[in-house]
Amino acid sequence: TGKPQNGYNLFTLNDIISSATKGEITSVTGDVQIDGAIILMESQWNCNLDLSEDECNPKWKFTRIDSYPDTITSGYNYRTIDYDTGMQKRLLRKLYGIRVV
């Protein structure tokens, strides 16, 4: 349709987290809020182009891929440095977030 539609091409973070964790986590709270997360987002489009675009409904699959056993860390984080050359100091920050790939 070209416009955002819930469940078709528009999702909330809570929808994505709930689907990725198979309902174990239903909102951006707990370890996801503290450590972040990496979510794999896959879409499958099986469309008959001879039919109306209304007949073409994608299937979405979300998988949390940062919480597998034997990974170095869980969640998603990165570090950034800001330099203040006048005062000869630096600020090292560790940031957390949700990465959708």
Side-chain angles (χ1 to χ4, degrees):
T1 64
K3 295 181 182 178
Q5 293 180 4
N6 283 329
Y8 183 77
N9 59 3
L10 179 66
F11 305 94
T12 67
L13 282 177
N14 289 343
D15 292 339
I16 293 171
I17 293 295
S18 180
S19 180
T21 62
K22 297 176 180 59
E24 291 178 18
I25 302 172
T26 57
S27 64
V28 183
T29 58
D31 69 323
V32 173
Q33 186 176 18
I34 294 169
D35 297 328
I38 302 173
I39 308 294
L40 175 64
M41 183 175 179
E42 301 174 85
S43 65
Q44 181 180 19
W45 296 74
N46 289 327
C47 300
N48 183 341
L49 300 177
D50 293 328
L51 299 176
S52 164
E53 67 181 39
D54 294 335
E55 300 294 322
C56 186
N57 296 312
K59 293 184 179 158
W60 294 93
K61 180 181 177 187
F62 302 96
T63 308
R64 185 172 180 186
I65 59 174
D66 66 293
S67 60
Y68 284 110
D70 300 325
T71 56
I72 295 171
T73 63
S74 64
Y76 173 69
N77 64 73
Y78 62 96
R79 291 174 176 82
T80 182
I81 300 174
D82 294 320
Y83 292 98
D84 181 359
T85 56
M87 299 194 59
Q88 298 180 347
K89 294 182 180 180
R90 69 178 185 164
L91 174 63
L92 173 63
R93 296 184 293 170
K94 187 173 182 182
L95 305 172
Y96 300 88
I98 298 174
R99 182 176 190 174
V100 178
V101 293

